[in-house]
Each structure stands twice: as C-alpha cells, then as structure tokens.
C-alpha cells in the first residue's frame, strides 16, 4: 500500500479539504499563486473536468470499436492541467503519450489525438505552430529531443535576455517507468553540461504497466537528476495549484538562464495502462480506492466551493461536458479512413524512386479490382 | 502413440519455456512485465508461480540494460531468455545486440559463449498504435554472429524455443504476435527437426512460394486458392531467417522453375532479397521466370487503418504467382 501523499515531503498547497496553505518552506513557489485570478481557477477546473470527460468518452469509443486503443489519463488531471498552464506562450512542450490534459491547455484539437488512436495517422499536427510536439511512444526518446531543442534555444540566444517576448524554455514530460531508459539519463547529462533551458516533468503515477515505480528506481525520482547536475523537487501532482506554481517558477528560471531542473509530480494512474491492460492482475482495488479519494478534481472543487463558487458554475461545466461528449462522438463517427496514398506521403521530403514505383504499382493493383476492394 | 496436446502458439511457447526452465536451472527469464503479469501477451504466465522470482523477474524499462545484463549473465554461466515487449522497442538494445552479443564469441576466439535468447513479438495485423507492428528481422539476419528464427505453428513454437535456449549462440526468436492465439497440435515427444531446417508444408509443381512466421497463414491461403484454379503451388516455411536452409528452397525451385517470396517486412534489403539473389546464383538455369518478392512497402509501418493495404494478403501473393506463371 502506498503512502498518503501528505506524508511525503513535497510541495502541496491544497489540503485534502480544499484549503490553501503555503508552508514557509515553499514560499517561493507560493508567490506564483498570487498570479492567479478567479478566472484562472475556473479555467483550471473547467479544463480538468473537460479532459476527464474526454477521457471517459474516448474509453467508451474504444469499447465500441471506434478507436484501436485508448490511453486514459484519469487521476493525472491536476498534474497535467496545472503544469500545462505553468508553461509560457513561447515555450515548447515535448509530451509522452498520456498528456491529453497538457495538450488541451495548449490548444491541440482533441480530435487529433482520437484520430491517432483510431489509427488514421501517427500524429500529424504541426509542432512548430502548436509548440506541442508529437506524442512519443518509444519511451524516453522525446526527452533527448526536448534537450536538443533547448540546446538550440540557448545557441540562438533566446535565454536570459530578460525580454519576455524573446526568451523561451522547454518542458519534457515522461512517466516514472520511462526514467529507466538510458536516453533519459543521457538527456539529464546533456541538459546539465549545456545549461539548457529545460524542465523535466516526471509524472510518477506509481505504475509502469504492471511494475511499481520502485522497480524503476531506488532513490526518489526527484533526486534522479542530482548526480547529473539537474536539481529536482517533488510536488503533489494531484494538487493543480502546486503543479501550476512549481512549473511556472521552474520555467521562469529556465528561461532566465538558470539551467535545467526536474519536477516529480506524485500522482496515480486510476485507470488501466491502456484499454488493452487489465490492472486487476497486478494491483489491489483497495489501493485504487485510496487514490480515488485523493482525486485532483474533487479536491479542487472543494476549494472552489469554499471560495463561494456557486452551483451554477458546476452545472455549466457539466453541461459543457455533455456537449463535448456529443461533439467528439459525432466527429469520431465522421472520421474517414485515410486513402492509400497517405502511406507513401512524407516518407521523404523530396521525390524518391522507390516510393513512386510502389505507389504507382499499388494504385494500379487496386484499380485492377475495379474498386470493389476499396 | 506420441503425446499430443492442442495449444495456441502463445501457450506452446510458454510450455517450451517451462520445459527449458525445468531442465536447466541456469535458464533465467526477464524483461518488462514478464513476471507478475506474465507478459503483455501472457507468454510467461505461470512461470513466476512455478519457478519463483530468482528465475523470472521484471527488469527496469531499459532495453539496452536488458540485453547488456543478459550478456553479463551469460558470461557468468547463465542462459538468459530476455523478452523485448514489442518489436518496435528492440532498438534501444541494438548496440548491445549487434556490436556486443553477436561478436563476443568471435572476439574471445571462442572462450566466451553467448547462449542468450531474445524473444520478440513481431509483425502487424493487430490494429496497434505506432511501433507495435514492426518486422525488424532483416537487421539481425544481416549481423554475423546471430541466429534468427521464427515459428509459425504451435508445434514449432514449442520445440524451436527449446532449441533456441539450448543453442550456445545468441538467438533472436521472433514470435508472430498476430498468430499467438492460433491453435494447433503439439507433439510433446518428438521435435519436428532442427531449428534452422526449412519445411515443405504443401508440395506442388508449378511455383515455389516461400514465407515464414505470420505470413505462413497467408501463403497457405494463397496456395489453397491457387489450387482451386488448378495451380500447383509448393509452400515452404523457412522457419529460420539466419541461417537460411537454401538447399530446401533450391531443390524446390529446380522442380518448379518459379519463385515467389513473401513476408510482412519491407522488401528493400530484406530476407526475400537474399533468397531471390541466392536462388539466382544457385539455380539460374532452372528458373523460368524472375523471382518475385511480395512484402510490405518501403514506408514506415502505416497507421492501423492502412495496414490492410500495407500487409501482403493472399490476393497480392496470387498476383505475383500469376506474374511468374505468365512470364
Ligand atoms: C522503449 C520502450 N520500451 C517499452 C515500451 C512499452 N511500454 C509502453 S508504456 C510502458 C510503461 C511506461 O510507464 P511510465 O513511463 O511510468 O508511463 P505511464 O504509462 O505510467 O504513463 C511500457 C513498458 C515502450 N513504449 N517503449
């Protein structure tokens, strides 16, 4: 049985009852809460609720055969929405494959995620425009890409100029399991020796498919970067305010030229690893229930209610959720299968004889069936 | 009468692994999620209960680490059987496999043996997300020092995994994941031949059709459809992609004069390229038509909604057969 998160040393502002407390030890981070207006609070809640609704709907769509697979992020909304809003308007984000909440905070069309999991394409959004890079399925690979990107930002002189419109930093998401990959250790090292403007955001949801994070690490993950020169901090990942404040501060520091750092967000994967997984084979319901009681959304709801947010608001969010469900169902049903030529597109950026030959052959071959095989 | 049981491929591999672990307590098993969960495809299910956590354990998620430590364990006298969870995740271990595992016996002038087995579920057809449908066998077949095999039936699965574990050389054991639940009879008493021996599965006179692993079902379907049209197609399961049993293929081509080779992997610099080239060298005057290769296109494995068009099906094989016959 895992520990109560409040027993572990970590940045936490929101109590289980939804009260805000800023311990002296974390006062620096607490300063960032002062940036938040009521509109921000409502936005945090709206987005957490929205992404959970999306998640549940996607699971249902997968069960109905509309998606090949679904990768639920339920329970991780606090870590994702909070950190997503802690990332600035010029910053770049390198996600893993479960960062639907972060995607939402940076304007990614949620249908692009569903399209990918339906098997229509492998990604397809423009990372330069969205600053939200493609999902990475091969564990840890994106962490090196993020580091290289951050090295380039520094080479371009976009760090520590003091000009808010110019400076930028990079955030790389990964899971606890992914930290075991050699690529991740190498990324820490490259980031440290180059003093790159990057924040490594580890969502420790305590499980990597069937293995506990204790199988991936002997020291707390927030200390993993220490030996490389990447200092870390642990946060309560189910506290959206801590996630926002700590990310915002670390991104500010990175932009200001203070080098790389690591945030370990302690959270919990409430759902299965993916819809192909059966977690009852390796973990106790009791543990899941324990963490359900620490749900990031209900905790934040308590905070809002304490601060006088009326029922109307929650009704409105509920209603927006229903609309979202209907919208994405309809859009998913309307998704067309990709044409065969898509397979041959963008393999190279310039003309290539093998591609030309094989596409021509396949088109001729398909045509020989007179369209009946389409 | 021999001792026969009906098993799906996945469970035949489990049974073979169990046999190997019972026979030799130096056989160890590890990889991601293999112990408590029994692997994402349940191939190692039940082994933890029978053999305990000193014989089968979950490793951290680090493929280079999995193979690198397998090498060290082999140096120490163990016979590691490492699982790579999916084909697309073998590449972090590519250096350890091709530059280390494959060469240690050579570099030590035979003092160091590398009895390591790497189990890899491979191939497409399961509607998966990216990096879960790759056919990377040619990279390994290209590397001297590695043996590369793939069963296509439960009986082969049961025996070939044991032969792989008994081998003193490193073996890449590619498991046809979309056929895991295909059932067949397993003869528990007698092996169907050596692990590098090709098998003529269906005899025929007009064309030699060579395939392996997950493509065998498709080849057999094509042969059956061809037979309905009066074409006599000899189907060969090579079972081993390195070394390749060319004698069996060449004997067949000498009889039929025509060759079609099919696999899921892209055809450029592939197992079928090698077979076509070798047959041209060894049986040139017997060929009535140029050999044809049928494989995946030379593009990254596509999104699931397109995989049906990427993977060779019986029609695409028959189209090739018609072309070699019409030549
Ligand atoms: C290189 C590589 N090896 C193995 C896998 C298979 N795999 C997919 S997710 C996963 C567990 C990852 O756990 P974690 O990093 O904690 O992230 P979570 O899924 O819990 O969000 C594994 C082993 C992979 N995707 N990439």
């Amino acid at each position: 049985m895992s520990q109560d998160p409040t027993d572990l040393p970590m940045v936490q502002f929101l109590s289980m009852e939804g009260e805000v407390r800023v311990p002296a030890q974390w006062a620096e981070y607490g300063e960032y809460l002062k940036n938040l207006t009521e509109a921000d609070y409502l936005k945090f809640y709206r987005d957490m609720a929205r992404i959970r609704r999306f998640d549940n709907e996607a699971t249902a769509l997968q069960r109905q055969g509309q998606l090949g697979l679904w990768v639920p992020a339920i329970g991780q909304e606090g870590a994702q929405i909070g950190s997503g809003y802690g990332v600035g308007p010029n910053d770049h984000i390198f996600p893993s494959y479960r960062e639907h909440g972060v995607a939402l905070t940076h304007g990614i069309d949620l249908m692009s995620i569903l399209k990918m999991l339906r098997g229509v394409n492998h990604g397809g959004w423009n990372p330069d425009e969205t600053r939200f890079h493609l999902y990475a399925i091969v564990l840890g690979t994106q962490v090196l890409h993020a580091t290289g990107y951050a090295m380039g930002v520094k080479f371009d002189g976009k760090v520590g100029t003091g000009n808010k419109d110019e400076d930028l930093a990079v955030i790389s998401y990964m899971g606890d399991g992914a930290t075991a990959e050699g690529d991740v250790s190498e990324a820490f090292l490259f980031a440290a020796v180059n003093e790159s403007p990057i924040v490594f955001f580890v969502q420790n949801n305590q499980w990597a498919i069937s293995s506990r994070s204790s199988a991936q690490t002997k020291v707390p993950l927030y200390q993993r970067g220490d030996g490389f020169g990447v200092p870390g901090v642990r946060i309560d990942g189910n506290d959206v305010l801590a996630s926002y404040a700590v990310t915002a501060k670390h991104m500010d520091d990175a932009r200001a030229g203070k080098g790389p750092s690591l945030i370990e967000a302690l959270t919990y994967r409430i759902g299965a690893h993916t819809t192909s997984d059966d977690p009852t084979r390796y973990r106790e319901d009791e543990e899941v229930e324990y963490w359900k009681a620490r749900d990031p959304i209900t905790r934040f709801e308590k905070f809002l209610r304490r601060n006088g947010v009326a029922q109307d608001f929650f009704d409105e969010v509920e209603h927006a959720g229903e609309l979202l469900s209907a919208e994405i169902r309809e859009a998913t049903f309307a998704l067309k299968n990709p044409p065969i030529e898509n397979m041959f597109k963008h393999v190279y950026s310039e003309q290539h004889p093998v591609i030309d030959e094989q596409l021509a052959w396949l088109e001729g071959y398909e045509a020989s069936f007179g369209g009946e095989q389409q | 009468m021999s001792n026969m049981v009906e098993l799906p491929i996945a469970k035949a591999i489990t049974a073979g692994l169990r046999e190997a672990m019972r026979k030799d307590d130096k056989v160890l098993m590890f990889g991601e999620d293999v112990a408590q969960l029994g692997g994402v495809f349940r191939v190692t299910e039940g082994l933890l209960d029978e053999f305990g956590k000193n014989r089968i354990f979950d490793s951290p998620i680090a493929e280079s680490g999995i193979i690198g430590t397998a090498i060290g364990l082999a140096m120490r006298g163990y016979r590691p059987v490492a699982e790579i969870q999916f084909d697309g995740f073998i590449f972090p271990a590519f250096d350890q496999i091709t530059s280390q595992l494959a060469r240690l016996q050579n570099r030590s002038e035979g003092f160091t043996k590398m009895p390591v087995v790497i189990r890899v579920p491979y191939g497409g057809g399961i509607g998966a997300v990216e990096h879960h449908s790759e056919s990377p066998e040619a990279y390994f077949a290209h590397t001297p020092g590695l043996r590369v095999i793939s069963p296509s039936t439960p009986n082969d699965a049961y025996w070939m995994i044991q032969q792989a574990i008994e081998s003193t050389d490193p073996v890449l054991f590619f498991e046809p994941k979309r056929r895991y639940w295909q059932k067949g009879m397993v003869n528990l008493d007698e092996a169907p031949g050596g692990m590098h021996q090709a098998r003529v599965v269906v005899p025929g006179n007009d064309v030699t059709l060579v395939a392996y692993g997950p493509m065998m079902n498709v080849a057999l379907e094509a042969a059956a459809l061809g037979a309905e049209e009066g074409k006599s197609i000899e189907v060969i399961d090579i079972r081993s992609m390195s070394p390749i049993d060319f004698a069996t293929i060449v004997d067949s081509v000498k009889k039929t004069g025509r060759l079609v080779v099919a696999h899921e992997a892209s055809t450029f610099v592939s197992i079928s390229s090698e077979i076509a080239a070798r047959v041209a060298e060894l049986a040139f005057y017997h060929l009535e038509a140029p050999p044809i290769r049928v494989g995946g296109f030379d593009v990254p494995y596509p999104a699931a909604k397109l995989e049906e068009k990427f993977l060779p099906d019986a029609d695409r094989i028959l189209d090739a057969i018609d072309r070699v016959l019409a030549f």
Side-chain angles (χ1 to χ4, degrees):
Chain A
M1 191 71 200
S2 306
Q3 266 180 295
D4 187 311
T6 51
D7 294 344
L8 295 168
M10 59 185 170
V11 185
Q12 187 198 66
F13 295 131
L14 210 50
S15 74
M16 296 301 153
E17 292 70 45
E19 293 158 308
V20 172
R21 297 170 307 208
V22 178
Q25 185 189 8
W26 309 122
E28 268 188 318
Y29 293 123
E31 285 301 300
Y32 279 79
L33 295 181
K34 295 178 185 159
N35 298 341
L36 297 174
T37 62
E38 177 171 340
D40 293 319
Y41 293 146
L42 299 183
K43 181 175 69 180
F44 286 4
Y45 182 87
R46 244 187 232 115
D47 278 3
M48 287 197 289
R50 188 171 179 81
I51 208 67
R52 176 156 307 174
R53 174 66 84 143
F54 171 70
D55 217 313
N56 284 323
E57 198 55 51
T59 301
L61 284 166
Q62 197 280 336
R63 296 225 168 93
Q64 292 155 18
Q66 291 293 322
L67 301 180
L69 184 80
W70 183 243
V71 186
I74 291 175
Q76 298 179 220
E77 295 89 348
Q80 295 197 7
I81 301 298
S83 66
Y85 280 121
V87 172
N90 297 330
D91 298 337
H92 275 250
I93 300 168
F94 286 73
S96 181
Y97 46 78
R98 205 184 291 280
E99 275 69 69
H100 321 315
V102 184
L104 176 68
T105 61
H106 287 267
I108 295 293
D109 176 1
L110 294 177
M111 280 313 294
S112 3
I113 297 173
L114 293 185
K115 231 167 139 176
M116 198 163 47
L117 285 140
R118 184 178 167 88
V120 174
N121 65 13
H122 288 322
W125 60 81
N126 181 348
D128 289 327
E129 221 168 67
T130 57
R131 298 172 298 96
F132 184 87
H133 291 252
L134 296 180
Y135 271 9
I137 290 176
V138 185
L139 294 170
T141 50
Q142 80 281 9
V143 189
L144 275 167
H145 307 162
T147 302
Y149 197 96
M151 286 162 61
V153 166
K154 193 170 175 206
F155 296 154
D156 291 343
K158 303 287 187 192
V159 182
T161 68
N163 179 344
K164 276 199 162 138
D165 299 327
E166 287 276 308
D167 287 345
L168 70 127
V170 177
I171 186 166
S172 180
Y173 287 85
M174 76 199 84
D176 44 293
T179 63
E181 291 285 356
D183 276 9
V184 172
S185 287
E186 292 181 21
F188 292 162
L189 181 60
F190 275 69
V193 298
N194 291 291
E195 292 170 23
S196 307
I198 184 166
V199 173
F200 299 104
F201 195 97
V202 181
Q203 284 175 85
N204 180 356
N205 66 11
Q206 308 191 41
W207 289 96
I209 310 186
S210 73
S211 75
R212 284 188 184 279
S213 28
S214 56
Q216 314 294 338
T217 187
K218 277 290 183 191
V219 298
L221 284 172
Y222 75 95
Q223 294 171 1
R224 174 60 71 81
D226 285 348
F228 295 98
V230 179
V233 62
R234 173 153 44 192
I235 68 169
D236 177 349
N238 287 1
D239 172 354
V240 67
L241 297 180
S243 183
Y244 162 76
V246 175
T247 306
K249 169 151 176 53
H250 282 242
M251 292 301 279
D252 273 358
D253 288 352
R255 256 180 257 116
K258 295 187 185 167
S261 63
L262 185 155
I263 300 169
E264 175 192 357
L266 185 77
T267 178
Y268 194 79
R269 196 196 76 209
I270 295 290
H273 172 68
T274 66
T275 44
S276 305
D277 175 44
D278 172 12
T280 61
R281 294 180 65 102
Y282 52 80
R283 69 182 188 187
E284 302 294 332
D285 285 348
E286 189 199 2
E287 181 184 295
V288 181
E289 290 310 315
Y290 177 92
W291 284 95
K292 274 188 181 163
R294 279 145 190 81
D295 186 87
I297 304 182
T298 44
R299 202 193 312 179
F300 198 58
E301 180 182 335
K302 284 182 194 158
F303 163 79
L304 293 181
R305 289 193 190 274
R306 266 177 192 279
N307 286 278
V309 173
Q311 184 57 35
D312 286 358
F313 169 74
F314 297 100
D315 292 345
E316 173 213 308
V317 171
E318 179 63 23
H319 181 63
E322 281 155 19
L323 293 180
L324 175 75
S325 289
E327 221 174 89
I328 68 167
R329 290 185 71 74
E330 196 179 323
T332 303
F333 292 137
L335 283 174
K336 293 210 169 51
N337 282 353
I340 52 171
E341 64 264 27
N342 279 17
M343 193 168 22
F344 298 89
K345 279 185 186 160
H346 312 298
V347 180
Y348 301 93
S349 62
E350 289 171 17
Q351 189 264 342
H352 188 286
V354 173
I355 297 289
D356 295 349
E357 184 196 318
Q358 293 187 354
L359 173 58
W361 182 85
L362 182 57
E363 282 177 339
Y365 174 76
E366 292 288 315
S368 73
F369 292 94
E372 72 185 280
Q373 276 231 327
Q374 302 296 318
Chain B
M1 229 196 64
S2 45
N3 198 1
M4 306 284 282
V5 289
E6 189 182 38
L7 290 173
I9 288 181
K11 294 299 160 190
I13 300 171
T14 316
L17 291 170
R18 186 180 296 115
E19 266 311 292
M21 289 180 94
R22 281 181 185 160
K23 275 191 199 143
D24 183 351
D25 62 13
K26 291 291 185 190
V27 175
L28 298 182
M29 236 150 270
F30 52 94
E32 295 156 13
D33 305 286
V34 297
Q36 168 84 22
L37 186 66
V40 293
F41 293 106
R42 311 290 184 257
V43 171
T44 50
E45 191 170 36
L47 300 180
L48 177 65
D49 288 343
E50 180 169 347
F51 298 100
K53 61 182 170 41
N54 293 333
R55 300 284 306 282
I56 175 162
F57 46 90
D58 289 339
S59 63
I61 302 175
E63 293 75 13
S64 181
I66 291 171
I67 304 304
T69 56
I71 290 171
L73 284 158
M75 289 170 169
R76 185 66 200 167
Y78 287 92
R79 297 182 96 80
V81 181
E83 176 178 297
I84 296 292
Q85 194 163 76
F86 279 91
D87 37 49
F89 309 137
I90 197 167
F91 300 107
F94 199 71
D95 174 49
Q96 288 290 352
I97 298 171
T98 59
S99 318
Q100 303 303 321
L101 182 64
R103 292 175 182 227
L104 274 158
Q105 134 109 352
N106 180 260
R107 283 168 57 206
S108 69
E109 299 189 348
F111 287 112
T112 302
K113 304 293 183 203
M114 277 292 123
V116 173
V117 175
I118 305 175
R119 294 184 34 245
V120 192
Y122 83 122
I126 61 162
V129 294
E130 208 182 352
H131 308 293
H132 292 72
S133 304
E134 310 294 313
S135 294
E137 62 272 21
Y139 293 113
F140 302 101
H142 188 71
T143 303
L146 302 176
R147 297 174 184 272
V148 184
I149 63 177
S150 180
S152 71
T153 66
N155 196 43
D156 278 353
Y158 175 75
W159 287 103
M160 288 166 77
I161 188 65
Q162 294 182 70
Q163 292 165 335
I165 295 169
E166 277 161 21
S167 169
T168 18
D169 288 326
V171 179
L172 272 288
F173 187 80
F174 282 102
E175 303 175 2
K177 74 166 93 78
R178 68 162 148 152
R179 310 292 180 213
Y180 267 146
W181 302 107
Q182 175 178 307
K183 285 186 176 170
M185 296 309 290
V186 174
N187 180 336
L188 298 174
D189 295 334
E190 199 191 335
M195 69 176 177
H196 297 305
Q197 232 174 298
R199 179 190 307 125
V200 178
V201 184
V202 178
N205 299 313
D206 301 340
V207 183
T208 300
L209 172 58
V210 171
Y212 56 84
M215 196 46 64
M216 281 310 299
N217 280 33
V218 184
L220 292 170
E221 185 194 343
L225 289 169
E228 286 173 18
E229 297 169 3
K231 292 161 194 157
S232 170
I233 300 166
E234 179 146 299
V235 184
I236 296 178
D237 179 356
I238 55 171
R239 299 167 80 246
S240 170
M241 297 88 95
S242 180
I244 293 172
D245 174 3
F246 287 112
T248 301
I249 300 171
V250 167
D251 279 352
S252 173
V253 172
K254 283 184 177 169
K255 178 174 66 175
T256 63
R258 293 177 166 86
L259 174 67
V260 170
V261 190
H263 49 56
E264 289 189 11
S266 302
T267 49
F268 195 82
V269 197
S270 63
I271 302 298
S272 60
S273 310
E274 182 60 27
I275 293 174
R278 287 293 281 159
V279 167
E281 286 169 7
L282 298 170
F284 186 71
Y285 290 106
H286 297 271
L287 282 169
E288 307 276 350
I292 294 187
R293 295 169 298 147
V294 184
F297 298 104
D298 288 290
V299 301
Y301 195 90
K305 291 288 178 196
L306 280 169
E307 71 178 338
E308 216 182 293
K309 300 291 178 189
F310 173 90
L311 293 169
D313 58 9
D315 280 333
R316 246 159 74 189
I317 292 178
L318 284 168
D319 171 78
I321 284 172
D322 288 347
R323 282 186 282 148
V324 293
L325 285 171
F327 188 81

